[in-house]
Amino acid sequence: MDPHAPPLHGSLPPGGDLPRGGPAAGCMSTHPPPIVEIRDLWSGFRNGGVETLIHKDLNLSIAKGELLSIVGGSGSGKTVLLRQILGLETPMRGSIEVLGRPAAELTHAGAASRVGMLFQHGALYSAFTVLENIAFPLRELKALPEDLVRDAVMVKLQMVGLDPSHAHKMPADLSGGMIKRVALARALIMDPPLLLLDEPTAGLDPDRSDAFCTLVRSLHQELGLTVVMVTHDLDTIYEISTRVAVVADKHVIVNAPPREVIAFDHPFVRNFFLGGRGLRAMELLRLHPTDV
Amino acid sequence: MSDIQPRIVFEQAPQGMHARLLGLWTAENLAVPAHWDALQAALGDLPQEWRSWHWDLRQLQRMDHTGAQLLWNAWYRQWPDTLHTSAAQRAMLERVAQFSSVLPPRRRQTALDMFLRLGAVVVRVEEHVVGAVRLLGQLLLDAIQLVRAPRAGPWRDVSGHLYRIGATALPITALVGFLIGVVLAYLMAQQLRQFGADAFIVNILGVALIRELGPMLAAILIAGRSGSAITAQIGVMRVTEELDAMKVMGIPTGFRLVLPRAIALVIAMPLLAVWTTLAALLGGMLASDLVMGLTPAYFVTALAKAVQVSNLWLALGKSAVFGLMIALIGCHYGLRIKPNTQSLGEGTTASVVTSITMVILVDAMFAVVFKNVGI
């Protein structure tokens, strides 16, 4: 790998619809209704009487079938944004619509069939076995027979690349990569159209992290999922995302395919993507020409 | 919107039977009881010739893996001869077909397993005993070290625990003590009046509250309140690897976690016992005044005559022992917690149950051993 590889600017499609600065709302036009629509979002928290603003007039719209990476510096409120999309936190101002309904209603009954979430540390129920963890949303319906539930779990378990023999293990007996896979299987058990991932490859070794990326990409294609993920991992961003939204200066400064984001002129983008690590990871862009 | 009902329409056509799948075949929709029953009736037991039918999935609104699994199981896990699907549906069915495997059964229990489990119980009891002895021994060593170099002691921790275990428990112990005093006085007043022995209420309340009930009430309340907190605190430190972080820094966990809690409880418990006793006596005094017209002035002077001072020393002494026990049991269970949430819950419960039981047990032992003192 040559760290002094020529920057990719030359290979960019000429012109293109590069978003100009300012609150770059999704430059997608509106013909299919977006899966997630965030308008004029303000959020912050109060700590000892001091109010800290994280988001100010943040706009983001995520179209169906995207595989969007949200990137931003530490403390730029990426995870907060994800939690707000899930309806776990209420923003100070602005509106978030997920699948055409306010995000606050997302956590109501039946949420598992609308959205799946992979938490950073898996958030498996430690009192349940792998099988019971994945089956949990299905069993909560309290109508499907046990053998059908078990069959559905076994299919999902193998879809995420785990061996059926792990079904009876407890989460405490699993490795980090396996926990993520089980958590992914649980998030997908009801085949939700929207999948959110919080740092999906954090804590995985490069091998497993590659395997996980391949898995997410193939699931995205096979199931027609819309995937939103928060990540720091440049390899993951280049390898699988179809779009990248950069959160900086309290709003989304750019939301575009990876190649266009790299060309965007902003100090954060330059540091993040065009630093030493960024240049090395960019090799991937050439190895895996971004599909779509 | 009856359109979403998952259903199958069978039609006799010249080429053979046609089976058309309609509606929304998703887990959530299938789980609607009416939908499920209707579909089960249609799909439950397909006749022999199902394979020769023409299966058509193209008019389905949506199907998810659970729906595909249901269909696949209804097909006896075989492909029909003629199947019309969209590409996505076929991919989904193929995935289900590929991955439908029989769940490996859990290992069955054998007689040997049960025999081994018996041994595991013995080993666990032994572990508890060894752990408790080691904890006590370590505490003793730490205490000696503290006496040798009192300046290096964890005094800041002690003062924090004193506040959290002792000071913040004052309102609840006072309330419970006061109410018990009132209840006891009312009950006793009824009985004593039958014998015309009204004045003896002071003796009964004095001995019962100072010697037994005050220390016991305080100890049981603190065991429930602070014993559980100690176990949970140390247990969470285990779950979040804080204990390991302390060890890596070379800070002895016994000296920094167990010793301050033990010291704080040994100091706070007798004080709380006195406080609870005072509140209970106050309740008893008020109730006696109301029910029997014993003036508080008489109550106080009679109390001094009725109860020997040795009772107070006994109460203080056993309270200190209770405090030490609660701290040690709380720490013992806290340090045994494994890094998962279930273990945390079990450990906390076991800690509270054990410390309350031990408090009552040790109280009984005190009662037997000191039966000639102060009465």
Side-chain angles (χ1 to χ4, degrees), chain B residues 128 227-228 231 329-330 332-333 336 343-357:
Chain B
H128 267 287
S228 60
T231 307
I329 291 171
H332 173 70
Y333 279 100
R336 291 176 56 87
S343 164
L344 187 62
E346 282 168 4
T348 312
T349 311
S351 155
V352 173
V353 172
T354 311
S355 47
I356 291 180
T357 315

Side-chain angles (χ1 to χ4, degrees), chain B residues 142 243-244 246-247 251-260 335:
Chain B
D142 288 338
L243 289 182
D244 299 334
M246 279 180 89
K247 265 187 200 147
I251 298 167
T253 45
F255 192 69
R256 287 306 296 270
L257 295 177
V258 183
L259 183 68
L335 290 168

Side-chain angles (χ1 to χ4, degrees), chain B residues 7-313:
Chain B
R7 58 194 187 279
I8 304 184
V9 179
F10 297 104
E11 285 159 352
Q12 195 65 53
Q15 313 95 309
M17 183 77 112
H18 275 248
R20 275 193 302 130
L21 272 65
L22 298 170
L24 195 59
W25 285 54
T26 60
E28 201 180 18
N29 197 39
L30 287 169
V32 176
H35 292 176
W36 178 257
D37 295 342
L39 195 61
Q40 212 49 31
L43 205 57
D45 277 308
L46 289 177
Q48 291 271 311
E49 60 277 16
W50 71 273
R51 287 188 77 162
S52 58
W53 295 353
H54 290 250
W55 290 85
D56 188 351
L57 276 62
R58 285 168 299 187
Q59 280 155 301
L60 271 180
Q61 287 183 19
R62 206 166 87 79
M63 180 171 75
D64 67 2
H65 282 87
T66 313
Q69 184 79 52
L70 179 66
L71 190 62
W72 181 249
N73 289 0
W75 284 346
Y76 308 103
R77 304 195 171 193
Q78 288 163 2
W79 291 100
D81 296 335
T82 328
L83 176 63
H84 304 285
T85 59
S86 69
Q89 286 166 343
R90 180 168 279 276
M92 195 174 276
L93 278 168
E94 272 167 6
R95 214 161 20 238
V96 166
Q98 182 193 349
F99 291 138
S100 273
S101 60
V102 185
L103 179 68
R106 267 172 202 272
R107 229 164 60 76
R108 295 291 297 273
Q109 289 240 340
T110 58
L112 184 67
D113 282 337
M114 284 162 74
F115 179 69
L116 291 178
R117 184 124 31 100
L118 192 69
V121 171
V122 176
V123 170
R124 199 157 60 229
V125 169
E126 189 213 340
E127 264 175 26
H128 267 287
V129 172
V130 170
V133 170
R134 186 174 292 156
L135 194 68
L136 194 66
Q138 184 65 49
L139 184 70
L140 198 69
L141 293 179
D142 288 338
I144 293 171
Q145 192 195 340
L146 186 71
V147 171
R148 277 197 188 149
R151 285 176 148 273
W155 297 115
R156 193 184 278 271
D157 295 334
V158 172
S159 113
H161 290 306
L162 261 182
Y163 173 73
R164 242 173 292 144
I165 294 169
T168 56
L170 289 178
I172 183 68
T173 44
L175 179 70
V176 171
F178 182 83
L179 294 176
I180 292 286
V182 169
V183 170
L184 209 59
Y186 265 97
L187 282 176
M188 288 302 145
Q190 303 268 328
Q191 304 299 320
L192 290 174
R193 202 172 280 151
Q194 292 177 10
F195 304 103
D198 292 19
F200 278 101
I201 186 131
V202 184
N203 298 46
I204 291 179
L205 283 181
V207 172
L209 290 177
I210 293 176
R211 190 182 166 107
E212 282 300 326
L213 285 178
M216 276 277 277
L217 277 178
I220 289 173
L221 280 172
I222 295 303
R225 188 176 179 275
S226 301
S228 60
I230 289 173
T231 307
Q233 275 169 1
I234 296 181
V236 168
M237 289 179 81
R238 160 79 70 211
V239 174
T240 55
E241 297 181 317
E242 287 170 61
L243 289 182
D244 299 334
M246 279 180 89
K247 265 187 200 147
V248 169
M249 291 179 193
I251 298 167
T253 45
F255 192 69
R256 287 306 296 270
L257 295 177
V258 183
L259 183 68
R261 288 174 169 82
I263 294 177
L265 265 166
V266 168
I267 297 174
M269 221 34 252
L271 297 175
L272 280 171
V274 172
W275 168 260
T276 313
T277 309
L278 282 177
L281 284 174
L282 183 71
M285 191 164 76
L286 283 179
S288 326
D289 193 8
L290 286 174
V291 185
M292 303 200 271
L294 285 181
T295 61
Y298 171 78
F299 193 99
V300 172
T301 45
L303 189 67
K305 280 182 217 145
V307 186
Q308 297 176 24
V309 181
S310 52
N311 282 309
L312 192 60
W313 292 119

Side-chain angles (χ1 to χ4, degrees), chain A residues 56-160:
Chain A
K56 187 178 168 188
D57 281 328
L58 183 145
N59 287 285
L60 179 67
S61 107
I62 301 165
K64 189 168 158 41
E66 294 284 8
L67 208 162
L68 178 92
S69 297
I70 300 177
V71 300
S74 290
S76 60
K78 305 179 296 289
T79 300
V80 173
L81 193 63
L82 213 56
R83 291 176 64 83
Q84 285 170 340
I85 293 175
L86 283 164
L88 291 173
E89 277 174 36
T90 322
M92 287 157 67
R93 247 191 261 172
S95 74
I96 301 180
E97 280 191 3
V98 180
L99 306 170
R101 292 162 67 180
E105 290 175 16
L106 203 66
T107 49
H108 293 185
S113 60
R114 295 190 284 274
V115 60
M117 169 74 180
L118 173 65
F119 288 91
Q120 192 176 348
H121 302 291
L124 295 182
Y125 304 117
S126 56
F128 290 169
T129 63
V130 166
L131 176 82
E132 291 163 334
N133 257 291
I134 304 175
F136 192 65
L138 277 182
R139 286 193 176 152
E140 276 304 287
L141 295 172
K142 301 205 193 301
L144 301 178
E146 193 50 37
D147 51 347
L148 180 67
V149 169
R150 264 205 303 266
D151 288 339
V153 169
M154 295 316 284
V155 168
K156 284 283 157 37
L157 194 65
Q158 294 173 79
M159 253 170 77
V160 298

Side-chain angles (χ1 to χ4, degrees), chain A:
Chain A
M1 254 191 317
D2 178 13
H4 302 291
L8 282 181
H9 293 94
S11 64
L12 278 172
D17 52 348
L18 282 186
R20 281 169 288 274
C27 42
M28 303 283 295
S29 51
T30 49
H31 20 276
I35 296 277
V36 179
E37 176 87 79
I38 303 175
R39 271 185 243 103
D40 302 327
L41 178 84
W42 286 55
S43 47
F45 57 89
R46 193 183 291 273
N47 198 354
V50 186
E51 204 168 89
T52 317
L53 207 57
I54 314 175
H55 302 137
K56 187 178 168 188
D57 281 328
L58 183 145
N59 287 285
L60 179 67
S61 107
I62 301 165
K64 189 168 158 41
E66 294 284 8
L67 208 162
L68 178 92
S69 297
I70 300 177
V71 300
S74 290
S76 60
K78 305 179 296 289
T79 300
V80 173
L81 193 63
L82 213 56
R83 291 176 64 83
Q84 285 170 340
I85 293 175
L86 283 164
L88 291 173
E89 277 174 36
T90 322
M92 287 157 67
R93 247 191 261 172
S95 74
I96 301 180
E97 280 191 3
V98 180
L99 306 170
R101 292 162 67 180
E105 290 175 16
L106 203 66
T107 49
H108 293 185
S113 60
R114 295 190 284 274
V115 60
M117 169 74 180
L118 173 65
F119 288 91
Q120 192 176 348
H121 302 291
L124 295 182
Y125 304 117
S126 56
F128 290 169
T129 63
V130 166
L131 176 82
E132 291 163 334
N133 257 291
I134 304 175
F136 192 65
L138 277 182
R139 286 193 176 152
E140 276 304 287
L141 295 172
K142 301 205 193 301
L144 301 178
E146 193 50 37
D147 51 347
L148 180 67
V149 169
R150 264 205 303 266
D151 288 339
V153 169
M154 295 316 284
V155 168
K156 284 283 157 37
L157 194 65
Q158 294 173 79
M159 253 170 77
V160 298
L162 284 173
D163 195 75
S165 59
H166 296 306
H168 294 306
K169 286 192 177 158
M170 298 303 284
D173 304 329
L174 300 178
S175 71
M178 278 156 73
I179 287 177
K180 295 235 165 169
R181 282 165 188 264
V182 174
L184 186 64
R186 186 181 67 178
L188 290 174
I189 187 67
M190 302 279 277
D191 286 323
L194 175 63
L195 177 66
L196 304 186
L197 313 171
D198 190 4
E199 298 280 2
T201 53
L204 298 186
D205 63 40
D207 232 23
R208 280 161 198 276
S209 132
D210 278 352
F212 198 84
C213 284
T214 315
L215 173 66
V216 170
R217 182 159 57 176
S218 63
L219 289 175
H220 168 244
Q221 281 166 0
E222 285 168 22
L223 307 182
L225 291 172
T226 307
V227 182
V228 181
M229 65 176 173
V230 161
T231 183
H232 276 115
D233 188 14
L234 286 159
D235 295 353
T236 314
I237 296 169
Y238 289 135
E239 199 177 332
I240 63 176
S241 40
T242 60
R243 284 182 93 79
V244 177
V246 181
V247 182
D249 304 336
K250 300 191 174 76
H251 61 261
V252 177
I253 54 171
V254 56
N255 170 13
R259 280 161 192 275
E260 295 173 25
V261 169
I262 301 164
F264 187 78
D265 191 34
H266 186 278
F268 175 79
V269 174
R270 273 202 300 278
N271 273 326
F272 190 84
F273 290 98
L274 304 176
R277 289 174 60 90
L279 288 176
R280 284 195 296 279
M282 209 184 286
E283 295 287 322
L284 276 171
L285 263 188
R286 264 170 266 173
L287 299 178
H288 306 264
T290 30
D291 26 18
V292 179

